[in-house]
Amino acid sequence: MDINSKIDFDKLPKHIAIVMDGNGRWAQKRSLPRLSGHNAGMKTLKSIVKVASKLGLQHLTVYAFSTENWKRPQDEILGIFKILVFYVEKELRELHANHVKVNIIGDYKKLPQEAVEKLESSLLTTKDNTGLQLNIALNYGSRVEILKAVKELAIRSMNNEIDPNDIDDEIFSSLLYTRGIPNPDLIIRTGGELRLSNFLLWQAAYSELWFTDLYWPDFKKKDLEEAILDYQNRKRRFGGVK
Ligand code: IPE
Ligand code: IPE
Ligand code: MG
């Protein structure tokens, strides 16, 4: 029996988030430039989006560029953006035909102007789609995201628009980039590192975590299915007893 037939389609995670790590090491292993790894990673993204859409997931969030990734050499940074914009442009028609709604979390307006424009056009084209929502985390960092919400609440409170005692999970969550998106049920990280690297820190409070040593370009449909199957065998207690 293949993995797919073991998946319980009534108990799919609503939201899977992925830290797509290991592109550089994938390339290094083949004596290729790091950008070849990012290119190969983009092909994996393309196929995983299709799989997620076919499986019937509601949300797929992918970590594409962190607020810390600006520390990398300029040519790698610009290369990553080029590859991403090329993917979005080239795939837009198909994404749209598959009812995928593209969304971006993070301060993507700091990207080069051309990238911002092309990304915004994909947001506009797919805005009314009701299939899979693909959330691309771009210039995303949880700490910046949380601080932004804290500053907004401080300003509202200073202007007497909100009583600090009324601040709750719901209000706070509504000020994050992920407003309106359910918390991730499952977070996958490829590339062998066992950390979150500033990804969805608030939202991950009760996420199930799944790690693999596979580099992102080597991650396949069956690996996603394996992660989902593993998730379906977890006991989620949320602090209660079951
Ligand atoms: C993840 O792959 C993609 C980005 C961070 C943009 P890396 O580029 O971090 O690959 P490794 O971790 O160096 O192998
Ligand atoms: C996390 O990977 C960010 C993305 C996948 C976009 P990194 O490669 O930047 O993470 P660290 O540096 O290993 O923690
Ligand atoms: Mg990495």
Side-chain angles (χ1 to χ4, degrees), residues 6 26 29 31 37 59 62-63 85-86 95 103 121 127 148 152 160 172 175 181 204 207 210 218 220 226-227 239:
K6 291 188 200 158
W26 180 92
K29 210 174 83 184
S31 308
H59 283 273
V62 292
Y63 205 4
V85 168
F86 181 73
L95 289 170
N103 180 44
S121 120
K127 74 175 177 24
K148 204 166 76 71
E152 173 63 27
N160 292 318
F172 194 78
L175 295 171
I181 302 174
S207 302
W210 194 84
D218 292 328
K220 297 279 175 314
E226 192 186 320

Side-chain angles (χ1 to χ4, degrees), residues 21-22 25 72:
D21 196 24
R25 281 163 288 161
R72 297 187 180 205

Side-chain angles (χ1 to χ4, degrees), residues 82-210:
K82 269 214 179 102
I83 290 166
L84 182 83
V85 168
F86 181 73
Y87 161 77
V88 171
E89 258 199 316
K90 198 166 145 267
E91 295 301 309
L92 187 58
R93 198 198 297 249
E94 193 173 339
L95 289 170
H96 193 40
N98 289 328
H99 315 289
V100 174
K101 177 174 173 172
V102 181
N103 180 44
I104 301 176
I105 60 172
D107 191 5
Y108 72 95
K109 299 207 173 166
K110 299 267 159 64
L111 267 58
Q113 186 59 27
E114 196 201 355
V116 173
E117 280 166 18
K118 291 191 170 151
L119 288 165
E120 283 180 341
S121 120
S122 77
L123 298 181
L124 198 66
T125 307
T126 63
K127 74 175 177 24
D128 297 322
N129 287 349
T130 53
L132 175 76
Q133 181 164 320
L134 172 63
N135 306 298
I136 308 175
L138 260 179
N139 192 15
Y140 174 88
S142 278
R143 290 200 168 180
V144 167
E145 177 183 43
I146 289 170
L147 286 173
K148 204 166 76 71
V150 168
K151 284 179 201 164
E152 173 63 27
L153 288 169
I155 292 169
R156 285 188 195 175
S157 143
M158 216 166 55
N159 294 339
N160 292 318
E161 289 162 17
I162 192 168
D163 178 341
N165 292 310
D166 292 340
I167 297 172
D168 59 9
D169 188 326
E170 197 183 328
I171 293 173
F172 194 78
S173 297
S174 77
L175 295 171
L176 300 175
Y177 293 125
T178 50
R179 172 188 41 222
I181 302 174
N183 290 325
D185 299 299
L186 171 63
I187 297 181
I188 294 172
R189 180 169 186 148
T190 61
E193 312 293 358
L194 307 180
R195 55 178 172 257
L196 288 175
S197 302
N198 205 9
F199 189 46
L200 304 175
L201 299 183
W202 167 272
Q203 299 85 340
Y206 270 103
S207 302
E208 297 297 326
L209 310 178
W210 194 84

Side-chain angles (χ1 to χ4, degrees), residues 28-58:
Q28 198 176 20
K29 210 174 83 184
R30 290 164 176 74
S31 308
L32 294 168
R34 291 182 60 85
L35 280 178
S36 301
H38 294 307
N39 233 333
M42 207 42 81
K43 288 190 186 136
T44 298
L45 176 62
K46 184 176 143 179
S47 87
I48 292 302
V49 168
K50 277 187 201 153
V51 174
S53 167
K54 275 209 188 116
L55 281 172
L57 296 186
Q58 295 178 12

